[in-house]
């Protein structure tokens, strides 16, 4: 079973250097207060897998890739055979994930069914549960190690709302990335002031990036 909630038929922004479509998967194993996909997190399957495959057949040669996002696409073990069908049509796959479902992510990588991963580093260990309501920091860390030690293209990113994470917290994350020898760019995504899972109020201040440890960082929406 796959909980495909919605499909966005075209995007030039969500898969680096690729024209793609986006599949939104319902459900999530986290409850981040800043989540703006409430309907998807609490939603149910709306679209059949076959419908998506039929749509993709009409986009062969027009789109380069398919983005799996959500919610959390790796909640569904059937994502593996589904990804295979998509790869067989000639598309690349990008996965947006919070990294908790290590086994599913590993299977996708081992079977060469994913081409790019955007991994959310939600919070440093001491704040992980507070931010995500998920106790499995160790599983996230295992996924991070897996990606760092594999050849897969990936990025690490954190959403910033300064009521939740401050400069010290971000520096804790940077220390982990340095220690693990992460070589890519660390993306900091500024909170969008929209309706969220916890009806989070707007930030009172922006993150002071001058207080961050020296590291390759890119800011999004700041
Ligand atoms: S922001 Fe958090 S709760 Fe929302 S989909 Fe992502 S991991 Fe799940």
């Amino acid at each position: 079973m796959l909980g495909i909630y919605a499909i966005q038929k075209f995007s030039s922004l969500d898969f680096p250097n690729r024209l793609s479509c986006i599949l939104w998967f319902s459900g999530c194993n986290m409850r981040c207060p800043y989540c703006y996909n409430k309907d998807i997190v609490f939603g149910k399957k709306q679209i059949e897998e076959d419908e998506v495959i039929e749509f993709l057949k009409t986009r062969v040669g027009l789109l380069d890739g398919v983005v799996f996002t959500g919610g959390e696409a790796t909640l569904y073990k059937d994502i593996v055979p589904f990804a295979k069908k998509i790869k067989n049509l000639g598309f690349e796959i990008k996965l947006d994930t919070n990294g908790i479902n290590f086994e599913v992510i590993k299977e996708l990588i081992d079977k060469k069914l994913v081409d790019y991963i955007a991994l959310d580093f939600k919070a440093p260990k001491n704040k992980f549960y507070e931010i995500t309501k998920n106790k499995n920091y160790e599983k996230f860390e295992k996924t991070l190690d897996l990606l760092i030690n594999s050849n897969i293209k990936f990025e690490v990113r954190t959403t910033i709302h300064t009521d939740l994470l401050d400069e010290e917290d971000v520096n804790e994350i940077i220390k982990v990335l340095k220690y693990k020898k992460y070589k890519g760019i660390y993306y900091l995504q500024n909170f969008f002031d929209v309706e969220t899972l916890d009806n989070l109020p707007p930030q009172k201040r922006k993150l002071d990036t001058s207080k961050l440890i020296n590291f390759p960082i890119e800011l999004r929406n700041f």
Side-chain angles (χ1 to χ4, degrees):
M1 204 281 267
L2 280 176
I4 304 169
Y5 183 83
I7 180 164
Q8 183 180 318
K9 293 186 174 174
F10 180 77
S11 168
S12 58
L13 298 173
D14 290 78
F15 194 151
N17 306 314
R18 301 285 186 271
L19 300 180
S20 64
C21 66
I22 305 175
L23 299 181
W24 304 85
F25 289 79
S26 60
C28 192
N29 45 10
M30 291 187 174
R31 292 290 181 268
C32 314
Y34 51 70
C35 180
Y36 58 83
N37 288 333
K38 197 172 171 177
D39 292 351
I40 297 174
V41 167
F42 296 116
K44 296 255 180 316
K45 168 180 173 164
Q46 305 280 348
I47 301 174
E48 293 298 332
E49 178 186 324
D50 289 351
E51 216 179 301
V52 174
I53 296 296
E54 287 311 308
F55 163 73
L56 287 175
K57 283 181 184 166
T58 70
R59 293 301 187 271
V60 172
L62 300 173
L63 295 177
D64 308 306
V66 178
V67 177
F68 293 171
T69 193
E72 177 58 44
T74 64
L75 291 187
Y76 305 96
K77 288 208 173 87
D78 287 347
I79 198 91
V80 176
F82 183 60
K84 179 130 186 65
K85 284 184 195 169
I86 293 175
K87 292 291 284 180
N88 285 344
L89 290 173
F91 295 103
E92 293 189 313
I93 293 176
K94 174 187 178 231
L95 171 68
D96 292 341
T97 181
N98 59 35
I100 295 295
N101 287 330
F102 169 81
E103 289 79 10
V104 176
I105 297 166
K106 184 170 186 319
E107 194 175 350
L108 286 169
I109 293 174
D110 288 347
K111 293 186 170 166
K112 301 195 185 322
L113 296 175
V114 64
D115 302 279
Y116 190 95
I117 294 179
L119 177 69
D120 288 333
F121 198 144
K122 295 287 183 186
K125 189 175 181 179
N126 65 326
K127 276 199 166 176
F128 197 78
Y129 179 73
E130 185 187 327
I131 304 290
T132 66
K133 306 294 177 288
N134 187 304
K135 292 181 178 155
N136 293 304
Y137 176 84
E138 283 69 23
K139 282 205 150 192
F140 157 77
E141 198 175 13
K142 228 173 136 183
T143 299
L144 178 62
D145 288 337
L146 172 74
L147 299 192
I148 289 173
N149 295 309
S150 72
N151 293 322
I152 187 100
K153 284 187 201 152
F154 76 106
E155 66 181 51
V156 177
R157 59 194 194 175
T158 301
T159 298
I160 303 294
H161 185 301
T162 49
D163 290 8
L164 304 173
L165 290 179
D166 61 17
E167 292 76 5
E168 206 178 309
D169 298 318
V170 176
N171 280 336
E172 282 307 309
I173 292 176
I174 293 173
K175 282 182 203 164
V176 172
L177 294 175
K178 275 188 176 235
Y179 177 75
K180 291 183 182 292
K181 300 191 173 21
Y182 170 61
K183 299 280 182 246
I185 291 170
Y186 175 39
Y187 293 90
L188 295 178
Q189 308 182 146
N190 204 21
F191 172 72
F192 266 128
D193 189 14
V194 290
E195 194 191 334
T196 67
L197 211 103
D198 272 9
N199 294 321
L200 210 55
Q203 300 177 92
K204 291 178 200 71
R205 65 176 187 92
K206 275 192 181 171
L207 194 79
D208 183 352
T209 52
S210 71
K211 291 186 178 159
L212 299 182
I213 297 171
N214 188 28
F215 196 77
I217 288 174
E218 256 186 47
L219 305 175
R220 288 175 174 159
N221 315 318
F222 272 83

